[in-house]
Each structure stands twice: as C-alpha cells, then as structure tokens.
Amino acid sequence: QVQLVESGGGLVQPGGDLRLSCAASVSLFSFNNMAWYRQAPGKEREWVAGITSGGSASHADSVKGRFFILRDNAKKMVYLQMNILKPEDTAVYYCMARDYAQNYWGQGTQVTVSS
C-alpha cells in the first residue's frame, strides 16, 4: 500500500526558509512523477513543483527561483526547499505521487508565513 507522509511545515517569518519532506512507503521508481501541491484557505489546490522519475524538475511561475523540488531515491524521500517565503505562500502543502493507475496523496503539512 502506498503511503506518503509530509513533514517540515510550521510558522516562519517573511523572507525565511523551510524544507518540506515527503516520505514514501515504496520505491520512488514506482511512480512516473512526484509533485508538491498547495491549498490556501478559500482557494483551489494548485500545483507547485514536480519531478519525474528521471529527475527532471519543474516549478510554478509563482515559486520559480525560490522553491526547489528534490528527490533522494535511496531514502525514498522527496523534498521541497522553500526560500524567501512570502505571506502568500501560506497554505497546506501536499505531496503527490502518480503511477500508471492513479494519484496518491499525503495528509498535508501546514506552512504559515507571518510576522
């Protein structure tokens, strides 16, 4: 059974950094893609960043140059390094993995950017 567990969220001041982690219960090579999404209060869930099984990464324009998605295949971990955080980055962040059959989601981790 596939399980994704996020961690690393919290309260941070504007301009600060956080690193989110996503631990998978199976090999990352089980998935075609892994990604981070976020959902702010009253808004739809939006894609933040994705990385393929081959390691090709992409990022939403709103976070490009500030956020970076990384993967460690040996540890079965995917990370989201978030730098220069802004109040508008406040949201619940979700890890997602996609194989040929379906998408899998973690439970989410809250990130709050506030002074």
Side-chain angles (χ1 to χ4, degrees), residues 2-101:
V2 175
Q3 289 187 327
L4 303 172
V5 179
E6 302 97 334
S7 61
L11 173 64
V12 63
Q13 292 187 342
D17 305 334
L18 274 179
R19 190 185 203 193
L20 304 183
S21 299
C22 173
S25 60
V26 298
S27 168
L28 299 188
F29 292 112
S30 301
F31 310 116
N32 300 323
N33 287 281
M34 298 195 73
W36 287 95
Y37 283 73
R38 68 185 180 186
Q39 187 166 19
K43 295 188 177 182
E44 293 187 354
R45 191 172 297 188
E46 65 173 354
W47 175 81
V48 176
I51 189 164
T52 67
S53 57
S56 178
S58 55
H59 303 81
D61 287 345
S62 59
V63 306
K64 198 168 293 183
R66 299 189 298 121
F67 291 13
F68 302 92
I69 187 170
L70 308 162
R71 61 188 284 160
D72 186 327
N73 296 324
K75 294 182 178 179
K76 298 185 291 184
M77 298 286 292
V78 176
Y79 305 98
L80 184 68
Q81 178 65 44
M82 306 187 296
N83 301 327
I84 317 174
L85 282 158
K86 303 176 181 180
E88 52 264 42
D89 295 318
T90 295
V92 178
Y93 284 72
Y94 296 91
C95 179
M96 189 279 289
R98 178 181 298 125
D99 64 16
Y100 292 103

